Amino acid sequence: MLWNMTSHYTLKALDIGINTHQEAVAYMREDCHVCRAEGFTAKSRVKINHGSRSVVATVNVVDNDVLPEGHVGLSKVAIQRLGVGLGDDVVIGHADVVASLAAVRKKVFGNPLDGTDMQAIITDISDHLYSDIEIATFLSVCAGGRLDTDEIVYLTQAMVNAGKRLHWPGREAVYDKHCIGGLPGNRTTPLVVSIVSAAGHVMPKTSSRAITSPAGTADTMEALTNVNLELADIRRVVNETGACLTWGGAVNLSPADDVLIRIERALDLDGEGQMIASVLSKKIAAGSTHTLIDIPVGPTAKVRSGVDAGRLASLFTQVGAACGLKVRCVLTDGSQPVGRGIGPVEEARDLLAVLRCEEDAPSDLRERALLLAGHVLDMAEHSGLEIAQQKAMELLVSGEAYRQFLRIVESQGGLKTLQDARFQHAETALLGGTLRSIDNRKLARLAKLSGAPSSPGAGLRLYVKVGDQVATGAPLFTLYSESQGEQDYALDYYRQNADMFVFE
Amino acid sequence: MLWNMTSHYTLKALDIGINTHQEAVAYMREDCHVCRAEGFTAKSRVKINHGSRSVVATVNVVDNDVLPEGHVGLSKVAIQRLGVGLGDDVVIGHADVVASLAAVRKKVFGNPLDGTDMQAIITDISDHLYSDIEIATFLSVCAGGRLDTDEIVYLTQAMVNAGKRLHWPGREAVYDKHCIGGLPGNRTTPLVVSIVSAAGHVMPKTSSRAITSPAGTADTMEALTNVNLELADIRRVVNETGACLTWGGAVNLSPADDVLIRIERALDLDGEGQMIASVLSKKIAAGSTHTLIDIPVGPTAKVRSGVDAGRLASLFTQVGAACGLKVRCVLTDGSQPVGRGIGPVEEARDLLAVLRCEEDAPSDLRERALLLAGHVLDMAEHSGLEIAQQKAMELLVSGEAYRQFLRIVESQGGLKTLQDARFQHAETALLGGTLRSIDNRKLARLAKLSGAPSSPGAGLRLYVKVGDQVATGAPLFTLYSESQGEQDYALDYYRQNADMFVFE
């Protein structure tokens, strides 16, 4: 990877209908010069230029009968990043050396990264110059506690700098709230935003869609209203209501994080420093000044012990402070799902029930939302936690929070009617007893196999909580799906993993 | 990745003509159940079964018009590993959890790996159960001096256990010789094997093809004779001649190494422990008892300082000893190419010239081969290095070594005639002077761009050595190619990198 070419090869671009996720792939005929000259025993990389845009792509060699001579096939993401149309000319050349890989190698050899290194790495990753295996290397040598606090700060700042940044002129304090995840159904964010903004505090909340869970806050909100708002619309909604509940992906706040997170999840690496930087960089980029972090702790949650949670909370707070962000962390019970619904529509039903103060609204979701909203109010008003929680409760009980929620939803495009899933299946307890535990991970997987979140109505409604006495034959959950195949696939998984509910 | 399915999905296999190198890829329609249920934001993995064989493949989603309903497209390597024919049924299910990834994670968190961990990892990698990003993680957390001597020993033994192992009944001592590489043209192996086996010592040499260089020993030997010998034929050749010069890839001595090395090279990681285990495991698997390691040291060689070379030599020796292999390391000059030819055919010409004691045979190649052969003879005969080198010289000068080389070649299938390349281009010095340095890496790249080693006749013949007085307009090298396009592509690179020769 040592040179730039002057004589390039011009080929015509073809969409050959392949989605390779985020890594751009160029499909090249085995008889093409570039193929022959670069050699393909390793994972060769080429630069593809089209007008002012370029992408670096991994080469896959195809049989000569797959592509007409003089053509190159491009994966979906390459087509999108280049903005090419069918048959457009693209120019293929050797990929430039990616200078920041030297910094990654420095870290491989155990040397700490400074701010300049980290910025160079993150900028190149945002620009899609790293292959997946190079990203895996970066993540691997930063995981396992190998990032010190300074490095996490540099990483956070680099991620902020690599993306867009929102500003809220005239707003002195801007609040945010984040849960590190791992608990199905734990959809407190829309409740906290409604309560806190009903109290007059600014809370422009951009959320993510699910990556490995059955629903992200953006997926659940999308069952209720439009969440695909561009920056100008977000500003309007926040000006009108003091808050928003939109999808962050439309705003490009942290393009590096979008790349990193997918490889990190595929590797199941749980890099602590990476996670802190990912969360805090998005808060800072969104213009927040104060952030509350919810850390659920439990045997099948993301954080499994109080000690780990404490260390994580301390790091969150330190890194936030170094980046000018006030962070408060709350450790919560992560032993079982929160609420009853899992999946976008089912979680939306729980939200509405809590906001409307319905009698059968899930009390655990309600209590947790009040706890977290109280913490944010206390950060804003310094009234002490007890008074702040009392205020949160009054805002909910009085209907103020619900009216505020409706104002936000109205401003984003109006309230949708929740749709029922086409297929449902009620599952009952084979042998009853006292429910001792629920495996969050397996339950989340069950909901995903049923089709959530890509089918918003898919997922499940859970009728039991840990500690309940469950009679033999009593309902455990209803599974919702949009196709018979998905229902079968999910139930098949349940049959083999019925130990996700442990009775005694 | 937590479960096995009972209800699988049967699809018909199609070769869609895509070569994805070593990572198996399954191309699945976006409307297929498995696709929908598994979700494809991350790099999903599925298990594909066909009869008693199975592969784990990464899923790429394709447009519905790319594949007929009920079909799955498979990459070349998936087809080959499954042994499927067009339209054969394959059964797709969820990929089993890869248990050894827990050991990789243990290493990510800084804990040393024991023999059991290492064996589990290497076995799973040999079985192609790791995705490329998982392999990248393993390599990354083992690079940078993060493997201690014990771990390198475990890794070496694990790699031996994961492949086939040769035995040479009745042979007390079996010799081998290895160069860690990085010097173009440094093709001493066939010379050393001919000399040492002419002295009656057993030297069954299986070599690799080029991975990133313009020629491996197997590529050069293939220009001269047949090297694709299976185990039974190798035994016959060794029984007949006491030696062989074949390609190791046909024998499957270290399947894990074949997988690891490609990702390692793509990452340019230079993992020391990994390299030692890779080299020594192949020697042990080949049944060697004594191995000589040639470590060229120079600013553009693989090892750049004497200190690094010394540490490497010490590790090679210690790990070898722990695995029951006697290792001697020789540090050699790595400042410039050896011989004049670079590329299979051109290197073969040099070999023959040395063996035939031709007057214009490259003296540096000859001297180096005698030095190394002397070391092997000294290991075998304990005669002292001076006497051993004298003996090596006599075997070469008397023609014994050449006759032995011809016996080996005859036994492998006979001597081929060297073919001339179709295109040649002579390049002269633009400005002469004293040649101060040659960049090995750039020169190797130039030879590769000309088409070596896939076109055996491609490469170059070098007319200058460091220290030479070169007149303006004097010949520097001749470039050989099999197509005009490759010649142009290579010369274009040369024009931009003429500093690969530095004159003063």
Side-chain angles (χ1 to χ4, degrees):
Chain A
M1 305 276 185
L2 295 163
W3 59 298
N4 280 306
M5 287 182 49
T6 48
S7 61
H8 293 284
Y9 292 86
T10 300
L11 297 171
K12 292 200 181 296
L14 274 187
D15 176 358
I16 58 170
I18 299 179
N19 184 341
T20 54
H21 319 300
Q22 292 196 326
E23 183 158 24
V25 175
Y27 300 89
M28 300 181 73
R29 287 165 56 109
E30 53 194 345
D31 64 357
C32 118
H33 281 327
V34 177
C35 266
R36 288 184 55 89
E38 297 296 337
F40 289 96
T41 46
K43 296 174 82 72
S44 305
R45 306 268 288 163
V46 289
K47 188 172 184 181
I48 306 176
N49 302 282
H50 177 248
S52 61
R53 299 204 205 175
S54 68
V55 300
V56 176
T58 297
V59 175
N60 280 188
V61 181
V62 300
D63 293 347
N64 290 337
D65 58 3
V66 172
L67 282 175
E69 227 182 309
H71 285 70
V72 56
L74 298 178
S75 68
K76 298 285 184 191
V77 74
I79 290 170
Q80 179 203 322
R81 288 191 199 134
L82 285 171
V84 291
L86 180 73
D88 280 1
D89 280 347
V90 293
V91 178
I92 313 272
H94 198 74
D96 301 332
V97 64
V98 179
S100 67
L101 285 172
V104 174
R105 252 171 243 122
K106 178 174 151 183
K107 185 73 187 167
V108 168
F109 282 86
N111 303 303
L113 298 176
D114 62 24
T116 311
D117 295 330
M118 206 60 106
Q119 190 63 61
I121 292 169
I122 291 303
T123 301
D124 285 345
I125 289 175
S126 308
D127 290 344
H128 303 288
L129 297 181
Y130 277 40
S131 67
D132 285 354
I133 58 172
E134 289 162 349
I135 294 169
T137 293
F138 173 66
L139 290 171
S140 302
V141 297
C142 291
R146 288 214 182 86
L147 289 182
D148 63 27
T149 309
D150 283 345
E151 289 177 298
I152 302 174
V153 171
Y154 299 142
L155 178 58
T156 306
Q157 290 168 334
M159 289 171 100
V160 172
N161 295 337
K164 279 201 191 134
R165 191 161 177 176
L166 309 189
H167 296 279
W168 303 100
R171 310 286 195 171
E172 219 166 272
V174 175
Y175 297 90
D176 205 325
K177 174 263 164 199
H178 182 86
C179 176
I180 65 159
L183 283 196
N186 190 17
R187 198 60 54 216
T188 56
T189 296
L191 302 172
V192 174
V193 168
S194 302
I195 294 169
V196 171
S197 61
H201 304 292
V202 184
M203 209 163 175
K205 182 80 191 115
T206 56
S207 302
S208 56
R209 293 185 189 278
I211 295 173
T212 58
S213 72
T217 293
D219 299 306
T220 301
M221 281 308 301
E222 193 166 43
L224 290 162
T225 187
N226 173 35
V227 296
N228 295 323
L229 274 65
E230 309 239 334
L231 195 47
D233 273 328
I234 292 179
R235 285 195 189 287
R236 179 187 51 75
V237 173
V238 175
N239 281 336
E240 286 172 15
T241 69
C244 70
L245 282 161
T246 68
W247 176 48
V251 199
N252 209 27
L253 290 180
S254 191
D257 194 49
D258 295 344
V259 177
L260 290 173
I261 212 159
R262 286 182 165 76
I263 301 291
E264 201 185 3
R265 298 290 168 93
L267 289 172
D268 196 13
L269 262 187
D270 291 327
E272 192 175 75
Q274 187 63 42
M275 191 237 284
I276 292 168
S278 162
V279 170
L280 295 186
S281 66
K282 284 188 172 163
K283 303 306 162 204
I284 296 165
S288 304
T289 57
H290 296 70
T291 293
L292 181 75
I293 312 269
D294 174 10
I295 305 178
V297 187
T300 58
K302 214 174 251 181
V303 175
R304 300 183 187 207
S305 78
V307 174
D308 289 347
R311 201 191 51 248
L312 192 60
S314 150
L315 273 173
F316 261 121
T317 314
Q318 283 178 64
V319 173
C323 298
L325 181 70
K326 287 208 171 55
V327 175
R328 185 188 287 191
C329 295
V330 185
L331 277 54
T332 56
D333 173 24
S335 61
Q336 61 177 330
V338 179
R340 299 201 191 98
I342 300 172
V345 166
E346 293 306 310
E347 293 177 18
R349 293 190 205 282
D350 281 358
L351 283 184
L352 292 178
V354 171
L355 285 165
R356 290 169 179 159
C357 301
E358 290 172 8
E359 210 170 303
D360 62 349
S363 60
D364 56 346
L365 177 64
R366 181 175 186 272
E367 293 313 314
R368 189 174 295 233
L370 290 173
L371 169 75
L372 298 173
H375 274 287
V376 181
L377 288 175
D378 182 42
M379 286 176 94
E381 300 175 0
H382 312 286
S383 55
L385 189 57
E386 203 174 332
I387 292 174
Q389 288 187 332
Q390 186 58 39
K391 180 167 179 179
M393 168 85 85
E394 283 159 14
L395 287 163
L396 182 67
V397 171
S398 67
E400 260 314 304
Y402 183 44
R403 285 188 291 277
Q404 168 64 1
F405 177 79
L406 291 176
R407 273 192 292 273
I408 297 168
V409 163
E410 204 52 50
S411 180
Q412 290 189 194
L415 191 66
K416 296 181 187 171
T417 307
L418 295 176
Q419 302 292 327
D420 292 332
R422 285 183 61 214
F423 295 85
Q424 43 179 286
H425 168 90
E427 190 69 33
T428 55
L430 280 179
L431 281 174
T434 307
L435 181 57
R436 282 297 164 214
S437 68
I438 299 179
D439 187 315
N440 291 312
R441 290 164 195 242
K442 291 186 174 180
L443 199 67
R445 181 140 184 83
L446 177 62
K448 284 172 63 189
L449 293 174
S450 77
S454 58
S455 299
L460 49 89
R461 178 147 292 269
L462 192 63
Y463 303 116
V464 291
K465 288 280 164 189
V466 170
D468 285 359
Q469 295 289 332
V470 180
T472 301
L476 278 183
F477 60 85
T478 301
L479 187 81
Y480 300 97
S481 331
E482 296 293 356
S483 79
Q484 188 67 52
E486 284 164 319
Q487 186 178 88
D488 292 348
Y489 200 75
L491 286 174
D492 179 59
Y493 174 71
Y494 175 68
R495 303 273 179 265
Q496 291 177 65
N497 292 275
D499 66 349
M500 64 180 73
F501 299 99
V502 176
F503 292 98
E504 243 180 31
Chain B
M1 306 277 183
L2 295 163
W3 59 299
N4 281 306
M5 287 181 49
T6 49
S7 61
H8 293 284
Y9 291 87
T10 300
L11 297 170
K12 292 201 181 296
L14 275 187
D15 176 359
I16 58 170
I18 299 180
N19 185 340
T20 53
H21 321 297
Q22 291 196 325
E23 183 159 26
V25 175
Y27 301 89
M28 300 182 72
R29 287 165 57 107
E30 55 194 346
D31 64 357
C32 119
H33 281 328
V34 177
C35 267
R36 288 182 56 88
E38 297 297 337
F40 290 96
T41 47
K43 297 174 82 70
S44 304
R45 307 267 288 162
V46 289
K47 188 172 186 180
I48 307 176
N49 301 281
H50 176 248
S52 62
R53 300 204 205 174
S54 67
V55 300
V56 176
T58 296
V59 175
N60 280 187
V61 181
V62 300
D63 294 347
N64 290 337
D65 58 4
V66 172
L67 283 176
E69 227 182 309
H71 285 70
V72 57
L74 298 178
S75 67
K76 298 285 184 191
V77 74
I79 289 170
Q80 179 204 323
R81 288 192 198 134
L82 285 172
V84 290
L86 180 73
D88 281 1
D89 280 346
V90 293
V91 179
I92 313 272
H94 197 74
D96 300 334
V97 65
V98 179
S100 68
L101 286 172
V104 174
R105 250 170 246 124
K106 179 173 149 182
K107 185 73 187 165
V108 168
F109 283 87
N111 303 302
L113 298 176
D114 61 25
T116 311
D117 294 329
M118 207 59 106
Q119 190 63 61
I121 292 169
I122 292 301
T123 302
D124 285 345
I125 289 176
S126 309
D127 290 345
H128 304 286
L129 297 181
Y130 278 40
S131 67
D132 285 354
I133 57 172
E134 288 162 349
I135 294 169
T137 293
F138 173 65
L139 289 171
S140 302
V141 297
C142 291
R146 289 215 182 86
L147 289 183
D148 63 27
T149 310
D150 283 346
E151 288 176 300
I152 302 174
V153 171
Y154 299 142
L155 178 58
T156 306
Q157 291 167 335
M159 288 170 102
V160 171
N161 294 337
K164 279 201 191 134
R165 191 161 177 177
L166 309 190
H167 296 278
W168 304 101
R171 312 285 195 172
E172 220 165 88
V174 175
Y175 297 88
D176 206 324
K177 174 263 163 198
H178 182 86
C179 176
I180 65 158
L183 284 196
N186 190 16
R187 198 60 54 217
T188 55
T189 296
L191 302 172
V192 174
V193 168
S194 301
I195 294 169
V196 171
S197 61
H201 305 292
V202 184
M203 209 161 175
K205 182 82 191 112
T206 55
S207 303
S208 56
R209 293 184 190 279
I211 295 173
T212 59
S213 73
T217 293
D219 299 305
T220 300
M221 282 307 302
E222 194 166 43
L224 291 162
T225 187
N226 174 34
V227 297
N228 295 325
L229 273 65
E230 308 239 335
L231 196 46
D233 274 327
I234 291 179
R235 284 194 189 288
R236 179 187 51 75
V237 173
V238 174
N239 281 336
E240 286 172 15
T241 69
C244 69
L245 282 160
T246 67
W247 175 47
V251 198
N252 210 27
L253 290 180
S254 191
D257 195 48
D258 296 343
V259 177
L260 290 174
I261 212 160
R262 285 182 166 78
I263 302 291
E264 201 184 4
R265 298 290 167 94
L267 289 172
D268 196 15
L269 262 188
D270 291 327
E272 192 175 74
Q274 187 63 41
M275 192 237 283
I276 292 167
S278 162
V279 170
L280 296 186
S281 66
K282 284 187 174 164
K283 305 306 161 203
I284 297 165
S288 305
T289 58
H290 297 70
T291 292
L292 181 76
I293 312 267
D294 174 11
I295 305 179
V297 187
T300 58
K302 216 174 250 180
V303 175
R304 300 183 186 206
S305 78
V307 173
D308 289 347
R311 202 193 50 248
L312 192 60
S314 150
L315 274 174
F316 262 121
T317 313
Q318 283 178 63
V319 174
C323 297
L325 180 70
K326 286 209 171 55
V327 175
R328 185 187 287 191
C329 295
V330 184
L331 277 54
T332 55
D333 173 25
S335 61
Q336 61 178 328
V338 179
R340 299 202 191 96
I342 300 170
V345 165
E346 292 306 310
E347 293 177 18
R349 292 191 206 281
D350 282 356
L351 283 183
L352 291 179
V354 171
L355 284 166
R356 290 170 179 159
C357 301
E358 290 172 8
E359 210 170 302
D360 63 348
S363 59
D364 57 344
L365 178 64
R366 182 175 186 270
E367 294 313 313
R368 190 174 293 235
L370 289 173
L371 170 75
L372 299 173
H375 273 288
V376 181
L377 288 176
D378 183 43
M379 288 176 92
E381 300 174 1
H382 311 287
S383 55
L385 191 56
E386 204 175 330
I387 292 175
Q389 287 187 334
Q390 185 58 38
K391 180 168 179 177
M393 168 85 84
E394 283 159 15
L395 288 163
L396 182 67
V397 171
S398 67
E400 259 313 304
Y402 183 43
R403 285 188 291 277
Q404 168 64 2
F405 177 79
L406 291 177
R407 272 193 292 273
I408 297 168
V409 163
E410 204 51 51
S411 181
Q412 290 187 196
L415 190 66
K416 295 182 189 172
T417 307
L418 295 176
Q419 302 292 328
D420 292 334
R422 285 183 60 213
F423 294 86
Q424 42 176 288
H425 168 90
E427 189 70 31
T428 54
L430 280 180
L431 282 173
T434 307
L435 181 58
R436 282 296 164 215
S437 66
I438 299 180
D439 188 316
N440 292 312
R441 289 164 197 242
K442 291 187 174 180
L443 199 67
R445 181 142 183 82
L446 177 62
K448 284 172 63 189
L449 293 175
S450 77
S454 58
S455 299
L460 49 90
R461 178 147 291 269
L462 193 61
Y463 303 115
V464 291
K465 287 281 166 190
V466 170
D468 285 359
Q469 295 290 332
V470 181
T472 301
L476 278 183
F477 61 85
T478 301
L479 187 82
Y480 300 97
S481 329
E482 295 293 356
S483 79
Q484 188 67 52
E486 282 163 321
Q487 187 178 89
D488 293 347
Y489 199 75
L491 287 174
D492 180 59
Y493 174 70
Y494 176 68
R495 304 272 178 265
Q496 292 176 65
N497 293 275
D499 66 348
M500 64 180 74
F501 298 100
V502 176
F503 292 99
E504 243 180 30

